[in-house]
Amino acid sequence: MKKFILATSVAAVCALPMAATAGNTVYGTLSYSVNSVDQDTAGGQDGLSGEDNVSLLGVKGSFGDSIKAFYHLQTGAPSDADGSGRAFRQRFYFGGLSGSFGKVAYGRMTNAYKFPGFAMDPFYNLSHVNAGGSVAFGGATYGLSPATNGFTDNALQYTSPALGGSFTVNAGVYIDDSNEDEHGYNFGGQWKADNFNVGVQFASNGDVGTVPNVVADGDAVRLYGGYKGDNWSVGLSYESVDLSASVEDVGYLYLVGRYKVTATTEVIGSIGSVDDGPAEGTGFMGGVFHTITDNTQIYVTYSAASIEPSGGTDKDPSVFAIGAKHKFKFGGS
């Protein structure tokens, strides 16, 4: 097994120079933090820890002129795997076609429901109180739903070109390859004008459940918007998600603001609220991010929440983190 892992790693490294040619890009992120953690649960993590914050390696590219074929492969490449011996972890792999008709993609990917929340959250894949109300070292920040996490298998998604220069629509089918044939689906739209955007996404599961973190035979709706000024921006997301057969229509509210103090230093803060379920409560997160070079950033963040689930045990998880992110890229146009 060790020989197989070694051979796979060597083959991947040797393939990088060949992949980083015109039309192809090899990229990666190394992300790590030192954290002071308080899970505030019996037996939960408490104290100082060093954690990988979803370091990754990817390759993507496109070929063609009026109609382009594209692909995108991304794998986790943890810098701290606690001796598991795994060099890589599954993330996503998809491909498709794009042109004047829009874009069609198939594979394992971030679904269209998840994407607006992922794009809005500057603390995504850092150390924080997560969507489930516990301290975690990756995924979505508290105030976004669990449906803002995970990747969707067997996803077929279409995104239109900008209609009238400002409005796009999307639709997706998430194929159930079991004998049940209970497919999930998604549709939505976004309007963008100047520095303003607003959109809506709706996702629904069949009896099997192909949309991650939405209950089988359940739905999720996201309304979102944002505005970007010269040196500041603000974003807002509201979701109603069916988490289980007994916990339906859980409301998630997430508000985030960013302010550039200087060309290299940014202050970011978010507030989250959940109105039902095991993560019911309120929380906040704040941080200061400083760019050392174009590819390297250091930061200090603090995240906390007051979780008060109905019929459950109250808790007040928190995490203080000091970390760094280093990005690299080879090839591309």
Side-chain angles (χ1 to χ4, degrees):
M1 186 63 180
K2 291 181 179 179
K3 291 182 179 179
F4 174 76
I5 293 171
L6 178 61
T8 303
S9 302
V10 170
V13 171
C14 291
L16 294 184
M18 292 182 287
T21 58
N24 298 276
T25 301
V26 175
Y27 68 92
T29 300
L30 180 64
S31 184
Y32 194 83
S33 62
V34 177
N35 310 276
S36 177
V37 178
D38 182 7
Q39 286 276 16
D40 196 24
T41 57
Q45 186 174 359
D46 192 9
L48 197 66
S49 72
E51 302 289 344
D52 180 89
N53 295 114
V54 194
S55 297
L56 54 86
L57 181 67
V59 58
K60 59 183 179 180
S62 62
F63 312 89
D65 296 316
S66 58
I67 296 180
K68 290 187 176 182
F70 62 85
Y71 72 94
H72 194 171
L73 167 66
Q74 188 182 100
T75 181
S79 61
D80 177 11
D82 294 324
S84 67
R86 295 193 300 271
F88 303 111
R89 293 178 179 173
Q90 183 185 31
R91 287 182 63 78
F92 61 76
Y93 187 26
F94 63 87
L97 298 172
S98 64
S100 59
F101 57 86
K103 182 168 70 174
V104 178
Y106 178 79
R108 175 179 169 88
M109 67 185 74
T110 290
N111 65 51
Y113 179 88
K114 167 189 170 181
F115 187 81
F118 163 75
M120 182 182 296
D121 182 2
F123 302 116
Y124 205 99
N125 284 343
L126 297 184
S127 301
H128 51 46
V129 179
N130 69 359
S134 299
V135 173
F137 309 104
T141 308
Y142 185 82
L144 295 167
S145 80
T148 316
N149 291 322
F151 299 102
T152 306
D153 293 325
N154 300 316
L156 176 62
Q157 294 194 156
Y158 168 74
T159 304
S160 76
L163 306 173
S166 58
F167 184 67
T168 58
V169 296
N170 63 270
V173 177
Y174 310 120
I175 299 170
D176 167 32
D177 54 10
S178 76
N179 292 334
E180 299 298 323
D181 285 333
E182 288 286 338
H183 314 299
Y185 61 90
N186 161 264
F187 59 86
Q190 178 176 256
W191 178 71
K192 296 179 69 173
D194 298 324
N195 297 331
F196 181 77
N197 75 90
V198 62
V200 59
Q201 293 292 328
F202 174 79
S204 184
N205 265 329
D207 291 339
V208 172
T210 53
V211 180
N213 301 311
V214 178
V215 68
D217 204 26
D219 302 327
V221 180
R222 184 195 302 274
L223 304 173
Y224 65 96
Y227 183 84
K228 185 175 182 180
D230 291 337
N231 58 356
W232 63 277
S233 66
V234 62
L236 178 68
S237 170
Y238 176 77
E239 301 174 75
S240 178
V241 182
D242 294 336
L243 295 182
S244 69
S246 59
V247 184
E248 299 179 338
D249 300 323
V250 178
Y252 292 83
L253 182 66
Y254 179 75
L255 175 66
V256 61
R258 309 174 66 149
Y259 179 73
K260 272 211 162 189
V261 181
T262 68
T264 57
T265 302
E266 187 175 26
V267 177
I268 307 175
S270 70
I271 298 173
S273 176
V274 182
D275 68 8
D276 199 0
E280 181 180 352
T282 57
F284 70 93
M285 184 166 183
V288 179
F289 295 76
H290 180 69
T291 300
I292 299 175
T293 70
D294 289 342
N295 299 322
T296 304
Q297 187 179 62
I298 58 175
Y299 61 85
V300 177
T301 62
Y302 180 74
S303 176
S306 177
I307 310 299
E308 301 175 346
S310 301
T313 302
D314 294 356
K315 59 179 180 177
D316 298 293
S318 64
V319 55
F320 173 80
I322 300 174
K325 296 177 71 174
H326 179 72
K327 297 182 178 182
F328 66 86
K329 183 174 73 171
F330 302 104
S333 56

